[in-house]
Amino acid sequence: MSMREGGLALFIALVGAPAASAPEGPRLGQPLEPAAISALDITVFPDGTGLPPGEGTAVEGKAIYDARCAACHGPNGSGGSAEELAGGRNPLTSAEPDKTIGTYWPYASTIFDFIRRSMPLDAPRSLSDDETYALTAYLLHANGIIGERDPINASTLPKIRMPNAAGFVWAYPERQPR
Amino acid sequence: MKPSFEPDTLPTETLASGPDRRRFLKAGLAVTGAALTGSVRASPAPWMTRPGAPLSNYGQPSPHERAVIRWVAANADAPGNGVSWTPLERLEGIVTPSGLHFERHHNGVPQIDPAIHRLVVHGLVGKASSFGIDDLLRYPMISRLGFIECGGNSNAGWHQEPMQVPAGNLHGLASCSEWTGVPLATVLEECGLRPNAKWLIAEGADAAAMNVSIPLEKALDDAVLALYQNGERLRPENGYPLRLILPGWEGVTHVKWLHRLQLAEQPAMARNETAKYTELLPSGQSRQFSFVMEAKSLITRPSAGQSLPGPGLHPISGLAWSGRGTIRRVEVSTDGGRTWRDAMLDSPVLPQCFTRFRLPWHWDGAPAVLKSRATDETGYIQPERQTLIAERGRHGYFHFNAIVSWAVAVDGSISHVYA
């Protein structure tokens, strides 16, 4: 056994899962190389982990939005057959609250993550990372959160504090971040 | 809201073709006539006088039951984004037939080749690994009966006016199956969890790449990588070839078409756990990660849209369930909540599972309001609607579990009321 393999075996033994009740498996998992993982891993976390290289601004994003998004989400994110994304005026405590990105979404990272994995509905995964950054910038700008020429990228996106960031209480209070 | 298709357009492959089919239909009409007159035929029924249909490779419901279907509601511009409801009011027992299990898709049903599909486990693990479906089929399996309920089930209950639709069209984003598969803990243990792993992010291989963040405790406790539903492999619309089952938790966490599990220190804060599936409270704050579906019950028969032919004995039957465990008690009121009686619970009564309750009821012909109220093993009692709204307001949208009331009018017609 090489040192590397021995080290790995020890590591697994030390951190072995606490699930004592789990039945033993036949251990048929095939090891995954980092390159294979990065090709699949599209999760973007609020701290910016997972954001790819690339950049875009709201000015660039507007043209993409008009071409790819407006048919469902309405002009300027005002809503259509799909939900409203911007322009909400009624506060969350009102009789008819507007739940837009600006009034409701707690993290800017979610915009990039969701567009990249799911949008547009008729052709998901068809946008480049630059286009996704530009759309993220456009939606942040449409909600009055950034300027139309502010660049959005892996460094700037995690620094944005969303208006409703403090608006959530976790049903698992012991897990609520401090 | 319209069904996506009319029952009359349902396929009729189960019927013999040509002259045989015509005879079949004609025979059906003859018997309907006999039933209408209430008489018993002196001669044998036609299906007793000649051989029946040949064997079939896969059974289908009787053509006379063709109205027992899911009710589909989808965005006309994006038909893969919508729901279909289980017709709870037309079913009995606790198991939902697989073909009637409710659906919620965010961008359609992928047709996945199980020979290509793989489950990838990575992130804060000792050994990032991938598993083929054939691999998973060799792991030790467990079976459990359990409900899945969409967090948005019954959301019209928050509306100002009670919606007049069949019970299943309002509360049928809940279904119950026997799920069989590999304990998730087995696979996670094989990959080796790092001490800082706190969350499991699960992702589907559909066009929405649906993802949710799950506290690791739940993943290790009772989560199942389901391969089978009601004894057969999962239906495509319910996650074929692999679905995550999290007993008692809201439906969106039971990720369908599962292909990726990422161990992380923090939740992803995905769109469906921030912008959706969070509940806005009157304070302007919202509940987040409200995973558990609280105790709930519903009288399915008699229920809105049905009618009683006249006074006399009418069995009351319904379903109760709790994400926190076993249903301990279901009480039924036939006088709008003034008095309650304990209903009988059919066996089996299982944790995080539909439980069938029954109570014989003699209707005297006077107006009546029927209600049911579930209590689970934790002592939690299903709330009245006004209590729930006082606590949560009207904009929570998700997790409506209040008592449902059906009003019986003197003519026997039944409507949905807030009472």
Side-chain angles (χ1 to χ4, degrees):
Chain A
M1 183 182 282
S2 73
M3 247 179 81
R4 186 172 165 275
E5 285 169 335
L8 186 60
L10 180 64
F11 177 75
I12 293 168
L14 285 174
V15 303
S21 60
E24 183 192 353
R27 302 194 174 274
L28 297 172
Q30 293 181 9
L32 268 174
E33 295 305 317
I37 296 168
S38 63
L40 288 167
D41 181 5
I42 55 171
T43 310
V44 174
F45 291 89
D47 68 1
T49 302
L51 282 171
E55 185 170 283
T57 66
V59 172
E60 295 156 357
K62 178 168 175 38
I64 304 164
Y65 179 88
D66 289 347
R68 307 294 297 273
C69 319
C72 296
H73 287 283
N76 307 309
S78 57
S81 62
E83 67 203 76
E84 61 174 343
L85 300 172
R89 282 183 294 275
N90 297 335
L92 296 177
T93 50
S94 65
E96 297 294 333
D98 282 317
K99 290 166 73 177
T100 63
I101 288 173
T103 60
Y104 200 68
W105 294 37
Y107 298 100
S109 57
T110 308
I111 308 170
F112 184 97
D113 179 88
F114 186 64
I115 294 172
R116 180 165 70 165
R117 71 176 53 247
S118 299
M119 291 290 127
L121 211 60
D122 60 352
R125 310 297 288 275
S126 65
L127 298 166
S128 70
D129 288 340
D130 283 343
E131 289 174 316
T132 306
Y133 276 120
L135 279 172
T136 304
Y138 173 75
L139 292 171
L140 288 166
H141 174 63
N143 279 286
I145 295 166
I146 63 167
E148 67 177 356
R149 297 192 185 279
D150 294 349
I152 289 298
N153 54 44
S155 166
T156 58
L157 185 63
K159 297 193 180 81
I160 292 167
R161 183 168 170 81
M162 298 292 278
N164 195 39
F168 292 82
V169 287
W170 289 16
Y172 275 64
E174 72 280 7
R175 281 178 167 270
Q176 180 95 32
R178 288 179 290 276
Chain B
M1 205 167 285
K2 291 184 166 197
S4 65
F5 51 79
E6 294 298 324
D8 283 345
T9 66
L10 283 179
T12 52
E13 291 93 328
T14 51
L15 299 177
S17 58
D20 284 347
R21 178 171 185 269
R22 281 194 291 277
R23 272 209 305 276
F24 185 102
L25 292 174
K26 198 174 165 192
L29 289 172
V31 169
T32 304
L36 285 176
T37 61
S39 62
V40 176
R41 298 167 56 97
S43 55
W47 38 78
M48 300 182 75
T49 62
R50 63 168 180 271
L55 306 173
S56 56
N57 290 108
Y58 201 105
Q60 296 290 321
S62 161
H64 299 285
E65 300 298 321
R66 59 175 48 180
V68 185
I69 54 172
R70 293 189 284 225
W71 196 266
V72 175
N75 182 343
D77 294 333
N81 187 356
V83 299
S84 69
W85 282 274
T86 294
L88 295 174
E89 75 282 0
R90 309 192 75 148
L91 302 175
E92 258 294 349
I94 59 172
V95 173
T96 309
S98 297
L100 295 176
H101 192 288
F102 85 89
E103 303 166 90
R104 169 72 176 115
H105 314 312
H106 294 76
N107 201 4
V109 179
Q111 295 299 328
I112 294 176
D113 180 352
I116 295 169
H117 188 82
R118 295 193 74 81
L119 174 67
V120 165
V121 184
H122 71 103
L124 299 176
V125 292
K127 186 177 69 174
S129 305
S130 85
F131 301 83
I133 297 300
D134 284 348
D135 298 331
L136 293 174
L137 287 165
R138 287 175 56 190
Y139 278 71
M141 288 196 195
I142 58 168
S143 288
R144 60 175 298 155
L145 277 157
F147 75 84
I148 299 180
E149 182 180 19
C150 176
N153 192 29
S154 314
N155 61 45
W158 301 109
H159 294 178
Q160 298 277 6
E161 297 296 327
M163 203 169 154
Q164 299 305 331
V165 295
N169 294 26
L170 210 164
H171 305 285
L173 299 184
S175 307
C176 186
S177 288
E178 183 194 39
W179 305 100
T180 304
V182 181
L184 177 56
T186 304
V187 167
L188 294 180
E189 181 183 276
E190 177 171 326
C191 297
L193 295 169
R194 296 194 189 172
N196 53 342
K198 296 284 187 290
W199 291 80
L200 179 76
I201 298 159
E203 183 181 276
D206 58 326
M210 264 284 308
N211 62 336
V212 294
S213 307
I214 297 149
L216 190 55
E217 300 93 302
K218 179 69 173 177
L220 294 174
D221 179 22
D222 59 2
V224 178
L225 298 169
L227 295 150
Y228 292 84
Q229 175 184 5
N230 295 331
E232 64 182 0
R233 296 288 284 277
L234 299 169
R235 296 284 173 103
E237 67 268 31
N238 271 296
Y240 184 84
L242 188 66
R243 177 176 200 170
L244 183 60
I245 297 291
L246 296 176
W249 284 23
E250 64 185 347
V252 70
T253 64
H254 299 231
V255 175
K256 298 192 283 193
W257 315 296
L258 184 71
H259 80 144
R260 191 163 72 89
L261 294 171
Q262 179 177 16
L263 282 301
E265 266 191 290
Q266 52 179 328
M269 297 298 176
R271 179 257 199 178
N272 280 320
E273 59 203 29
T274 54
K276 304 287 172 185
Y277 302 96
T278 50
E279 302 132 54
L280 179 58
L281 299 168
S283 65
Q285 295 258 302
S286 299
R287 298 172 80 224
Q288 187 178 14
F289 298 124
S290 49
F291 300 111
V292 176
M293 302 310 292
E294 302 286 2
K296 186 165 174 175
S297 70
L298 176 75
I299 295 172
T300 53
R301 189 166 65 101
S303 59
Q306 300 174 345
S307 65
L308 305 181
L313 183 66
H314 294 284
I316 290 173
S317 170
L319 292 166
W321 60 95
S322 170
R324 293 210 189 270
T326 307
I327 289 293
R328 280 284 175 256
R329 179 185 198 190
V330 180
E331 299 158 281
V332 170
S333 174
T334 56
D335 56 13
R338 283 196 297 280
T339 62
W340 296 86
R341 280 188 290 166
D342 278 314
M344 295 170 289
L345 305 184
D346 272 5
S347 290
V349 179
L350 298 169
Q352 290 105 14
C353 186
F354 274 4
T355 298
R356 175 65 62 174
F357 65 88
R358 300 180 189 281
L359 188 73
W361 173 50
H362 190 277
W363 182 45
D364 62 8
V369 172
L370 311 180
K371 294 181 176 217
S372 66
R373 179 169 70 187
T375 303
D376 71 17
E377 66 176 283
T378 71
Y380 176 92
I381 301 172
Q382 184 184 8
E384 286 283 359
R385 182 173 171 276
Q386 55 267 36
T387 308
L388 186 69
I389 286 177
E391 183 187 316
R392 301 265 184 87
R394 291 185 176 280
H395 302 295
Y397 189 83
F398 298 99
H399 289 261
F400 183 93
N401 71 321
I403 290 170
V404 174
S405 303
W406 307 129
V408 183
V410 288
D411 66 356
S413 64
I414 301 169
S415 59
H416 180 204
V417 292
Y418 293 155

